[in-house]
Coordinates of all heavy atoms in Angstrom, one line a residue:
H261 N 0.8 -1.2 0.0 CA 0.0 0.0 0.0 C 0.9 1.2 0.0 O 1.7 1.5 0.9 CB -0.9 0.0 1.2 CG -1.7 -1.2 1.4 ND1 -2.8 -1.5 0.5 CD2 -1.6 -2.3 2.2 CE1 -3.3 -2.7 0.9 NE2 -2.6 -3.2 1.9
L262 N 0.7 2.1 -1.0 CA 1.5 3.4 -1.1 C 0.5 4.6 -0.8 O -0.5 4.8 -1.5 CB 2.0 3.5 -2.5 CG 3.2 2.6 -2.9 CD1 2.7 1.2 -3.2 CD2 3.9 3.2 -4.0
P263 N 0.8 5.2 0.3 CA -0.1 6.4 0.6 C 0.2 7.6 -0.3 O 1.2 7.7 -0.8 CB 0.3 6.7 2.1 CG 1.8 6.3 2.1 CD 1.9 5.1 1.3
C264 N -0.9 8.4 -0.5 CA -0.8 9.6 -1.3 C -1.3 10.7 -0.5 O -2.4 10.6 0.1 CB -1.5 9.4 -2.6 SG -1.5 10.8 -3.7
V265 N -0.7 11.9 -0.6 CA -1.2 13.1 0.1 C -2.4 13.6 -0.8 O -2.2 14.2 -1.9 CB -0.1 14.2 0.2 CG1 -0.7 15.5 0.8 CG2 1.0 13.7 1.0
A266 N -3.6 13.4 -0.4 CA -4.8 13.7 -1.2 C -5.7 14.7 -0.5 O -6.8 14.9 -0.8 CB -5.5 12.5 -1.6
A267 N -5.1 15.4 0.5 CA -5.9 16.4 1.2 C -5.1 17.7 1.3 O -3.9 17.6 1.2 CB -6.2 15.9 2.7
H268 N -5.8 18.7 1.3 CA -5.2 20.0 1.3 C -5.7 20.8 2.5 O -6.8 20.7 2.9 CB -5.4 20.8 0.0 CG -4.5 21.9 -0.2 ND1 -4.5 23.1 0.4 CD2 -3.3 21.8 -1.0 CE1 -3.4 23.8 -0.1 NE2 -2.7 23.1 -0.8
P269 N -4.7 21.6 3.1 CA -5.2 22.4 4.3 C -6.4 23.3 4.1 O -7.1 23.6 5.0 CB -3.9 23.2 4.7 CG -2.9 22.9 3.8 CD -3.4 21.9 2.7
R270 N -6.6 23.7 2.8 CA -7.8 24.6 2.6 C -9.1 23.9 2.7 O -9.3 23.0 1.9 CB -7.6 25.3 1.3 CG -8.7 26.3 0.9 CD -8.6 26.9 -0.4 NE -7.5 27.9 -0.3 CZ -7.1 28.5 -1.4 NH1 -7.6 28.3 -2.6 NH2 -6.0 29.3 -1.3
P271 N -10.0 24.2 3.7 CA -11.3 23.5 3.9 C -12.1 23.6 2.6 O -12.2 24.6 1.9 CB -11.9 24.2 5.0 CG -10.8 25.1 5.6 CD -9.8 25.3 4.6
G272 N -12.7 22.5 2.3 CA -13.6 22.5 1.1 C -12.9 22.3 -0.2 O -13.7 22.0 -1.2
D273 N -11.7 22.4 -0.3 CA -11.0 22.2 -1.6 C -10.8 20.7 -1.8 O -10.3 20.0 -1.0 CB -9.6 22.9 -1.7 CG -9.2 23.1 -3.1 OD1 -9.9 22.8 -4.0 OD2 -8.0 23.6 -3.3
T274 N -11.2 20.2 -3.0 CA -11.2 18.8 -3.3 C -10.2 18.5 -4.4 O -9.9 19.3 -5.3 CB -12.5 18.3 -3.7 OG1 -13.0 19.0 -4.9 CG2 -13.6 18.4 -2.6
P275 N -9.6 17.2 -4.3 CA -8.7 16.8 -5.4 C -9.5 16.5 -6.7 O -10.6 16.2 -6.7 CB -8.2 15.5 -4.9 CG -8.6 15.2 -3.6 CD -9.7 16.2 -3.3
I276 N -8.9 17.0 -7.8 CA -9.6 16.8 -9.1 C -8.8 15.8 -10.0 O -9.3 15.3 -10.9 CB -9.8 18.1 -9.8 CG1 -8.6 18.8 -10.0 CG2 -10.9 18.9 -9.1 CD1 -8.7 20.0 -10.9
L277 N -7.4 15.6 -9.6 CA -6.6 14.8 -10.5 C -5.5 14.2 -9.6 O -4.8 14.9 -8.9 CB -6.0 15.6 -11.6 CG -5.4 14.8 -12.8 CD1 -6.5 14.0 -13.5 CD2 -4.7 15.8 -13.8
V278 N -5.4 12.8 -9.6 CA -4.3 12.1 -8.9 C -3.5 11.4 -10.0 O -4.0 10.6 -10.7 CB -4.9 11.2 -7.9 CG1 -3.7 10.4 -7.2 CG2 -5.8 11.8 -6.9
V279 N -2.2 11.7 -10.0 CA -1.3 11.2 -11.0 C -0.1 10.4 -10.3 O 0.5 11.0 -9.4 CB -0.8 12.2 -11.9 CG1 0.0 11.7 -13.1 CG2 -1.9 13.0 -12.5
W280 N 0.2 9.2 -10.7 CA 1.3 8.4 -10.2 C 2.4 8.2 -11.2 O 2.1 7.9 -12.3 CB 0.8 7.0 -9.7 CG 0.0 7.1 -8.4 CD1 -1.3 7.3 -8.2 CD2 0.6 6.9 -7.1 NE1 -1.6 7.3 -6.9 CE2 -0.5 7.0 -6.2 CE3 1.8 6.7 -6.6 CZ2 -0.3 6.9 -4.8 CZ3 2.0 6.6 -5.2 CH2 1.0 6.8 -4.4
Y281 N 3.6 8.4 -10.7 CA 4.8 8.1 -11.5 C 5.8 7.2 -10.8 O 5.7 7.1 -9.5 CB 5.6 9.5 -11.7 CG 4.9 10.6 -12.4 CD1 4.1 11.5 -11.6 CD2 4.9 10.8 -13.7 CE1 3.4 12.5 -12.2 CE2 4.2 11.9 -14.4 CZ 3.5 12.7 -13.5 OH 2.8 13.7 -14.1
K282 N 6.7 6.5 -11.5 CA 7.6 5.6 -10.9 C 9.0 6.0 -11.3 O 9.2 6.1 -12.5 CB 7.3 4.2 -11.1 CG 8.2 3.2 -10.4 CD 7.9 1.8 -10.7 CE 9.0 0.9 -10.0 NZ 9.3 -0.3 -10.6
D283 N 10.0 6.0 -10.4 CA 11.4 6.2 -10.7 C 11.8 7.3 -11.6 O 12.6 7.1 -12.5 CB 11.9 4.8 -11.2 CG 12.0 3.7 -10.2 OD1 12.1 4.0 -9.0 OD2 11.9 2.6 -10.6
G284 N 11.1 8.4 -11.4 CA 11.4 9.7 -12.1 C 11.0 9.7 -13.5 O 11.4 10.5 -14.3
A285 N 10.0 8.8 -13.9 CA 9.6 8.7 -15.3 C 8.8 10.0 -15.6 O 8.1 10.6 -14.7 CB 8.7 7.6 -15.5
R286 N 8.8 10.5 -16.8 CA 8.1 11.7 -17.2 C 6.6 11.4 -17.5 O 5.7 12.2 -17.4 CB 8.7 12.3 -18.5 CG 10.2 12.7 -18.2 CD 10.8 13.3 -19.4 NE 11.0 14.7 -19.2 CZ 11.1 15.6 -20.1 NH1 11.1 15.3 -21.3 NH2 11.4 16.8 -19.7
R287 N 6.4 10.1 -17.9 CA 5.0 9.7 -18.2 C 4.5 8.9 -17.1 O 5.1 8.0 -16.6 CB 5.1 8.8 -19.4 CG 3.7 8.4 -19.9 CD 3.8 7.5 -21.2 NE 2.5 7.0 -21.4 CZ 2.1 6.4 -22.5 NH1 3.0 6.2 -23.4 NH2 0.9 6.0 -22.6
P288 N 3.2 9.3 -16.6 CA 2.6 8.5 -15.4 C 2.2 7.1 -15.8 O 1.9 6.8 -17.0 CB 1.4 9.4 -15.1 CG 1.1 10.1 -16.4 CD 2.4 10.3 -17.1
F289 N 2.1 6.2 -14.8 CA 1.7 4.9 -15.0 C 0.2 4.8 -14.7 O -0.5 3.8 -15.0 CB 2.5 3.9 -14.3 CG 2.4 3.9 -12.9 CD1 1.4 3.1 -12.2 CD2 3.3 4.6 -12.2 CE1 1.4 3.2 -10.8 CE2 3.3 4.6 -10.7 CZ 2.3 3.8 -10.1
Y290 N -0.3 5.8 -13.9 CA -1.7 5.8 -13.5 C -2.3 7.2 -13.3 O -1.6 8.0 -12.7 CB -1.9 5.0 -12.2 CG -3.3 4.8 -11.8 CD1 -4.1 3.8 -12.3 CD2 -3.9 5.7 -10.8 CE1 -5.4 3.7 -11.9 CE2 -5.2 5.5 -10.4 CZ -5.9 4.6 -11.0 OH -7.2 4.4 -10.7
I291 N -3.5 7.4 -13.8 CA -4.1 8.8 -13.6 C -5.6 8.5 -13.1 O -6.3 7.6 -13.7 CB -4.2 9.5 -14.9 CG1 -2.8 9.8 -15.5 CG2 -5.0 10.8 -14.7 CD1 -2.8 10.4 -16.9
L292 N -6.0 9.2 -12.0 CA -7.3 9.1 -11.6 C -7.9 10.5 -11.7 O -7.5 11.5 -11.2 CB -7.4 8.8 -10.0 CG -8.7 8.7 -9.5 CD1 -9.6 7.6 -10.1 CD2 -8.6 8.4 -8.0
D293 N -8.9 10.6 -12.6 CA -9.5 11.9 -12.9 C -10.8 12.0 -12.1 O -11.8 11.2 -12.2 CB -9.9 12.0 -14.5 CG -10.4 13.3 -14.9 OD1 -10.7 14.2 -14.0 OD2 -10.4 13.5 -16.1
L294 N -10.8 13.0 -11.2 CA -12.0 13.2 -10.3 C -12.8 14.4 -10.7 O -13.8 14.8 -9.9 CB -11.5 13.4 -8.8 CG -10.7 12.2 -8.3 CD1 -10.0 12.5 -7.0 CD2 -11.6 11.0 -8.1
R295 N -12.6 15.0 -11.8 CA -13.4 16.1 -12.3 C -14.8 15.7 -12.6 O -15.1 14.5 -12.9 CB -12.8 16.8 -13.4 CG -11.4 17.5 -13.1 CD -10.7 18.0 -14.3 NE -10.1 16.9 -15.0 CZ -9.2 17.0 -16.0 NH1 -8.7 18.1 -16.3 NH2 -8.7 15.9 -16.5
E296 N -15.7 16.6 -12.6 CA -17.1 16.4 -13.0 C -17.9 15.5 -12.1 O -18.8 14.7 -12.6 CB -17.2 16.0 -14.5 CG -16.6 17.1 -15.4 CD -16.7 16.6 -16.9 OE1 -17.3 15.7 -17.2 OE2 -15.9 17.2 -17.6

């Protein structure tokens, strides 16, 4: 299990995009789109 910082100190602000990279790669291996 790899934790991700998905909370921000500003109340009510929500994540809209979570992107994961491995070993300094420029291209992500996983994208979670939370918009709309």
